[in-house]
Amino acid sequence: MTASPGLASAQLASPDLLRSVFRRHAAGVAVITARGESGPVGFTATSLSSVSAEPPMLSFGVGAGASSWPAIAATDHVGVHILGEHQQDLAATFARSGADRFGPPTVWSEGPEGVPVLDGVLAWMVCRVVARVPAGDHRIVVAEVVLGDPSGQGRPLLYHQGRFNGLRD
């Protein structure tokens, strides 16, 4: 058996190695929202995962130092929004530190449980938080889907190689 060519360039585990590997992993783009004490909060996430079909559950990661974390840590419900390829600017706004994420041109309304629901997304869900698990410098939030709407039109937005992209045929 011969060694794979990739073994010669293997690196020890580090934050840079993890970032470099995951830049090659195309991920769907979501925005997570919640009602905070001083107004709505939200952030762009590429860590969204389906956890269970029965009951319907999902998970996402959030940095423990993120501006949205205190609201996510305290809330019972979050909004999960799947973005379309036409929403690169929205994804960038929710990813940018210090941005007015809910000011114009963002269009949103207060949804069930007071959760901010974004307009024009491919799909959205309101979820009840069931667990917050420490994981290094992040927290993994596990939430049960309460209700949602998968009827938005368009194709999904992806994140790959540090940029937002659409699908290619």
Side-chain angles (χ1 to χ4, degrees):
M1 181 183 244
T2 59
S4 164
L7 291 178
S9 60
Q11 303 172 27
L12 290 176
S14 70
D16 286 340
L17 172 64
L18 186 70
R19 287 185 196 103
S20 293
V21 168
F22 272 89
R23 277 188 200 106
R24 296 177 177 270
H25 173 70
V29 180
V31 167
I32 310 299
T33 61
R35 179 178 57 196
E37 281 189 18
S38 57
V41 300
F43 63 96
T44 299
T46 57
S47 61
L48 183 65
S49 294
S50 172
V51 171
S52 168
E54 189 58 47
M57 298 176 84
L58 55 82
S59 70
F60 59 86
V62 57
S67 61
S68 298
W69 171 241
I72 301 293
T75 193
D76 292 332
H77 292 83
V78 295
V80 177
H81 307 81
I82 307 301
L83 300 190
E85 63 185 2
H86 62 287
Q87 295 178 304
Q88 291 185 22
D89 290 343
L90 183 67
T93 296
F94 276 84
R96 194 169 35 256
S97 181
D100 181 6
R101 297 173 178 156
F102 291 90
T106 302
V107 180
W108 65 281
S109 58
E110 185 173 313
E113 305 294 340
V115 172
V117 176
L118 302 176
D119 191 44
V121 296
L122 296 187
W124 62 266
M125 296 173 283
V126 170
C127 305
R128 181 178 59 83
V129 175
V130 298
R132 296 170 185 89
V133 181
D137 61 357
H138 276 59
R139 301 297 179 262
I140 305 301
V141 177
V142 180
E144 184 174 354
V145 178
V146 175
L147 74 148
D149 182 355
S151 66
Q153 299 296 307
R155 294 163 53 111
L157 181 62
L158 300 178
Y159 188 73
H160 180 250
Q161 293 286 38
R163 294 190 338 237
F164 296 114
N165 296 284
L167 286 175
R168 292 191 192 129
D169 289 327

